Amino acid sequence: MLNVHANDKSGGKSNKITITNDKGRLSQEEIERLVKEAEEMKGEDDIVRKRVEAKNGLENYAYNIKNALVDDKFKDKFKEGEKESIEKAVEEAVKWVEAN
C-alpha cells in the first residue's frame, strides 16, 4: 500500500491518494525482487551519474573558456599565440565530449 499526499503551495489546495495492491498488480515477492535488483544496480547507477556529471562539467568549462576568449573584457588579455593555443585545446575538448 502506498499513501501519497500532495499540497499546492500557491493555492493551498491539497489532495491524497492511497494505492493498494489490487488484482492484476505485482505480488509482494515481485516487489521485493524489483527492490533488490534496484539496490544491486545502485552502484552502477552512481558510476554512470558521476561520469555524466564529469562530462557535463568539462563541456561547461570548455564553453565558458571559449566565450571568455571572445568577451571584450578578456580578449585583450591574451597574446595572439596564447589565444590560438587555448582555442585549439577548447575545440579538442568539445570534440571529445561530443564523441564520447
Side-chain angles (χ1 to χ4, degrees):
M1 182 165 42
L2 176 66
N3 293 313
V4 179
H5 185 86
N7 289 323
D8 180 3
K9 292 183 179 184
S10 62
K13 188 176 180 181
S14 68
N15 206 343
K16 62 181 178 177
I17 186 172
T18 301
I19 301 170
T20 58
N21 190 14
D22 294 334
K23 185 176 181 178
R25 304 216 182 213
L26 298 175
S27 68
Q28 187 63 32
E29 294 82 25
E30 291 172 316
I31 293 170
E32 289 172 3
R33 180 183 55 82
L34 291 172
V35 169
K36 183 179 176 185
E37 287 176 6
E39 289 172 353
E40 291 171 356
M41 296 296 216
K42 185 180 183 321
E44 290 178 32
D45 291 344
D46 288 341
I47 291 169
V48 171
R49 180 185 48 79
K50 288 177 183 178
R51 185 178 298 140
V52 168
E53 287 174 354
K55 180 181 170 190
N56 289 342
L58 174 60
E59 185 176 31
N60 288 336
Y61 182 73
Y63 282 111
N64 285 339
I65 296 297
K66 190 174 186 176
N67 290 335
L69 291 173
V70 296
D71 190 339
D72 290 336
K73 296 176 191 175
F74 301 112
K75 71 179 184 180
D76 295 332
K77 304 279 183 187
F78 303 105
K79 297 177 186 171
E80 193 58 36
E82 292 175 335
K83 185 175 178 181
E84 291 170 1
S85 176
I86 294 170
E87 286 173 341
K88 183 179 176 185
V90 167
E91 286 303 317
E92 288 176 8
V94 169
K95 284 180 185 177
W96 183 87
V97 166
E98 289 173 356
N100 294 291

